[in-house]
Amino acid sequence: ANSYQVGALTGLERYRARRLPAAFCMLLTLAAIAAGAKMGGVTGAVAGLSAATAIRWYLHQRALKTECQKAGIAIFSIGIWQEAPLLYGFAIPAVLSGFLMIPGLWITNAWLVRQPHGYIQLAHYAAALTLRLMVMFVPALMNAVGLSILNNSRRGSTAGSFAAVHRLNRLALTGSTAAAALLMALVGRSLLGVFGSGFAAAGGSILWLLLASAVL
């Protein structure tokens, strides 16, 4: 639900409308999880996260409604079934893929810890995955900017401009990710040492495989 709201605000190029809810909800999420964990342990932390997410949805919905009114966009339900192909052709498959990813990760982690020295291997994997997430921050940030430019060029009338921007965006994403991954590969063993002396072993094949997957 939050994804479609942020996507709509991005498509309208209303970035200021996104900024305040994002900043407020980030602080609210941290406070709600901490307070929930203190009062109710894991259950309280989950409840705090759920409450913060609901508030985030409400703030985004208000912002989206306001920006639609400013843009003269009327939202109505007449002929709503004409949008059904978007649901079963895109939205539902996207949701299902998200639902399948988490159980898949959970099962593979469970398999890993049941191997000899499984918990040690899982710890090495988790530490290397943290560095991969740092690398993925670069393309995520650039893609947010590139998406805005793509939206703008899509509505333009210049022939071939969208394809050119799309190609440039793809090259920029791949190049920046590859550069960040290479840098991380060079300093990864030292960074992994922060977790402990035994974690430097994850700076070999585990880290390289994860960094290669980031580029792909």
Side-chain angles (χ1 to χ4, degrees):
N2 278 292
S3 296
Y4 87 77
Q5 293 166 329
V6 172
L9 290 170
T10 301
L12 292 171
E13 299 182 0
R14 300 298 200 271
Y15 306 110
R16 290 185 178 179
R18 286 177 45 187
R19 185 170 56 192
L20 183 59
F24 175 78
C25 291
M26 180 179 65
L27 297 175
L28 176 65
T29 300
L30 292 174
I33 293 176
K38 185 175 181 179
M39 291 186 294
V42 175
T43 303
V46 174
L49 176 61
S50 300
T53 304
I55 295 173
R56 181 174 62 176
W57 178 89
Y58 172 73
L59 293 177
H60 278 149
Q61 191 67 20
R62 284 190 57 182
L64 182 58
K65 183 178 181 180
T66 300
E67 296 305 324
C68 284
Q69 290 175 346
K70 290 180 180 179
I73 298 174
I75 301 175
F76 53 89
S77 58
I78 299 175
I80 193 173
W81 294 111
Q82 296 177 4
E83 307 293 337
L86 285 176
L87 286 177
Y88 62 73
F90 172 73
I92 293 177
V95 169
L96 290 177
S97 69
F99 286 154
L100 290 173
M101 181 181 68
I102 299 301
L105 290 173
W106 183 84
I107 291 172
T108 53
N109 286 343
W111 283 341
L112 180 57
V113 298
R114 293 172 68 89
Q115 306 302 314
H117 308 293
Y119 281 102
I120 295 176
Q121 296 296 326
L122 181 61
H124 288 175
Y125 170 76
L129 185 63
T130 301
L131 301 189
R132 181 187 185 274
L133 292 175
M134 294 173 63
V135 170
M136 292 301 293
F137 177 78
V138 175
L141 189 64
M142 293 191 64
N143 193 50
V145 178
L147 181 62
S148 305
I149 301 174
L150 284 168
N151 285 332
N152 195 280
S153 63
R154 182 82 180 216
R155 68 182 184 183
S157 58
T158 306
S161 62
F162 178 79
V165 172
H166 186 275
R167 183 168 55 252
L168 181 61
N169 185 56
R170 186 169 53 190
L171 289 173
L173 286 174
T174 306
S176 62
T177 308
L182 180 60
L183 178 62
M184 186 62 73
L186 295 175
V187 301
R189 189 176 292 271
S190 299
L191 291 177
L192 288 170
V194 174
F195 293 94
S197 58
F199 283 87
S205 58
I206 300 175
L207 180 62
W208 278 92
L209 284 171
L210 288 174
L211 292 178
S213 72
V215 177
L216 292 174

